[in-house]
Amino acid sequence: MRCLFFEVKVELSLLEKEKEVDGLSPNGKASPFAECRPNGALGHGSDDDSTPLPLYHKPRDYVEASVCHVKDLENGQMREVDLGSGRALLIKEHGEFSAMGHKCPHYGAPLVKGVLSKGHVRCPWHGACFNIATGDIEDFPGLDSLPTFQVTFPAGALQSQKRSKPMARCSAVINSSSGFSHVLIIGSGPAGLVCAETLRQEGFTDRIVMCTMDRHPPYDRPKLSKSLDSTAEQLRLRSMEFLQDHDIELLTEKEVVAIDVKTRSVTFEDGLRMEYRKLFIATGSKPKPMNYKGKDVTNVFNIRTPEDANSIARLANNKNAVIVGTSFVGMEVAAALTDKAHSVSVIGIESVPFKKALGEKVGKAIMKLKEVVLKSGKVLRADVCVIGAGSIPATSFLKQSGIHLDSKGFITVNKMMQTNVDGVFAGGDVVMFPFPPRNNKKVNIPHWQMAHVHGRVAALSMMGRATDIKTVPYFWSAMFGKTIRYAGYGDGFDDVIIQGDLDELRFVAFYTRSEEVVAVASMNYDPIVSRVAEVLGSGKTIKKRDVETGDISWLIDKGSQ
């Protein structure tokens, strides 16, 4: 097999023409806004603005490439380099060089535009972190790690910008019809999937069964409201073959109706009963019930599945669409339909969308992107109607189980994601969990990224390797080609400090509680949100006075120490 040889420690040379066009990333130098581009822009060392470097071939075994001179890269800097058959991210920190995949395996964000700090790189789009020595994913979202390029590596590695961690196999001889599983996972979203994969990655060799009400293998649900035409295959996170290869059994279209914690058993709607040793509940949320006339008509949808999204896109084609609710999902669907439908109307009870989450100023800026219908009594023609009026935890089947639920139906867990019942864990949208940055106050943070974290913590806890939740909440929303990114936990914020231009939708909003910054949101200012996440994740406090001055270049210094 041909391997590539990536030499980075001594006498690396860079062609003069390449030097003229390939600039270093701004890490550690310029103002955080100096090199910022619109969210998602790929104007960093693309194939159009760089000259391919020559490859030096050794017979059969290695491909050698000179990528830059050692003096061209300073500590705390990153560069995307071209090796002919693909690209890699070259990093220098504390005098040491390392190299790994240049794209985040989650959505393909350019990591050269991310944040380098203390041995890891944080993605500029959604905040995932990767260890620069191992390539391992350290914070989410995403399932895969990155390939690392040190001395030798497979020739195809540069084309694949992700790497699955090694996993154990099930050592027991299991009859698939057996009514017992060592670990039973209810739900196949990110919490359930990461729990299963983490168990295998950590050497768990007993049976794992994951069940879901869905008909598909795990898929990327946040994309449903942003890309209505996407199929389950296109949104797929893991294939059935992947799950089978790693002995993770998946039961589809299986609804749990009861749990008996005394006998450690679960009963399904079809009568199947399965016993467990450890149980992980990650059933997510379901649409908030609404009472209205015409509930049974076929053109009213809650967007829960790829089939829902596809039907909405089909029925709205050149027709009139009405969105009920100004949630993120509702507004994303409205935006996705603007180039399909004849008209799109959004109905909400709030005068400003996202006011509670993002504040009135930011909400008004986003509202300018669309016309919101608020007048009561007005009749709107609707060829297709989408309900996006919020959600509730999908936990009604637990009411008689003995597993503790709070007054709103959320499962309460401790820092190990364990419920009040021995051997029963829970994670994702359904839980209230202790959040360290708020003195372990129990909170619900229904982010896709946070569900990944819960799955990993629960798996480690099941194996007796309890670990603390060390993450900064991170979410994103996309509308009309604009992406808003958000990091932190802003519940109860009492002020918003805006920098940039709200009218141009190019801004950073710092959310403060008392005299402390607790969250940040931005549009068109990457990677500022990931920079702030890096500071908050290090345990440092950002004071309100620090962001009121207008000069926040200090963020780079704090983010790169």
Side-chain angles (χ1 to χ4, degrees), residues 32 155 233 352 435 486 492 530:
E233 179 77 12
V352 176
F435 189 51
Y486 181 101
S530 287

Side-chain angles (χ1 to χ4, degrees), residues 225-226 228 303 322-338 344-355 358 362-374 386-390 477-482 484:
S225 53
K226 304 175 183 71
L228 299 171
I303 186 162
V322 173
I323 315 299
V324 179
T326 54
S327 65
F328 282 102
V329 169
M331 299 296 261
E332 287 169 358
V333 172
L337 287 176
T338 53
V344 179
S345 301
V346 181
I347 304 173
I349 59 174
E350 295 179 325
S351 58
V352 176
F354 317 136
K355 182 177 179 179
L358 301 177
V362 174
K364 283 183 176 179
I366 296 174
M367 187 170 69
K368 289 180 181 178
L369 291 171
K370 57 168 77 5
E371 179 181 354
V372 182
V373 179
L374 297 169
V386 182
I387 308 295
S477 182
M479 289 167 272
F480 302 98
K482 305 287 187 183
I484 188 161

Side-chain angles (χ1 to χ4, degrees), residues 306-320:
E307 289 77 16
D308 290 338
N310 298 166
S311 295
I312 291 167
R314 184 181 70 254
L315 292 173
N317 189 40
N318 292 320
K319 298 294 181 64
N320 301 299

Side-chain angles (χ1 to χ4, degrees), residues 74-191:
E74 297 182 12
N75 278 323
Q77 290 188 321
M78 303 184 289
R79 172 176 289 177
E80 193 176 285
V81 295
D82 193 334
L83 298 181
S85 60
R87 290 176 177 267
L89 184 68
L90 181 62
I91 300 164
K92 185 178 181 181
E93 189 176 49
H94 306 307
E96 297 284 332
F97 285 88
S98 57
M100 62 185 187
H102 71 288
K103 288 183 178 181
C104 178
H106 177 228
Y107 276 13
L111 292 176
V112 72
K113 290 295 185 182
V115 181
L116 172 64
S117 176
K118 296 181 180 179
H120 66 247
V121 174
R122 187 180 289 270
C123 170
W125 291 359
H126 306 133
C129 287
F130 302 91
N131 186 294
I132 64 174
T134 65
D136 288 350
I137 187 168
E138 295 183 332
D139 202 353
F140 303 98
L143 300 172
D144 292 303
S145 297
L146 287 168
T148 54
F149 313 133
Q150 295 177 346
V151 179
T152 61
F153 54 90
L158 283 170
Q159 277 72 49
S160 176
Q161 289 297 320
K162 58 186 179 181
R163 168 182 63 86
S164 297
K165 289 184 180 180
M167 296 189 196
R169 298 294 301 266
C170 183
S171 61
V173 177
I174 300 294
N175 181 342
S176 61
S177 62
S178 170
F180 173 77
S181 179
H182 294 86
V183 173
L184 178 59
I185 298 170
I186 307 176
S188 64

Side-chain angles (χ1 to χ4, degrees), residues 383-399:
D383 297 296
V384 60
C385 180
V386 182
I387 308 295
S391 60
I392 59 173
T395 56
S396 57
F397 68 100
L398 297 174
K399 288 182 178 178

Side-chain angles (χ1 to χ4, degrees), residues 464-484:
R465 304 176 191 173
T467 184
D468 292 333
I469 292 179
K470 293 180 180 178
T471 190
V472 177
Y474 206 118
F475 82 85
W476 61 96
S477 182
M479 289 167 272
F480 302 98
K482 305 287 187 183
T483 298
I484 188 161

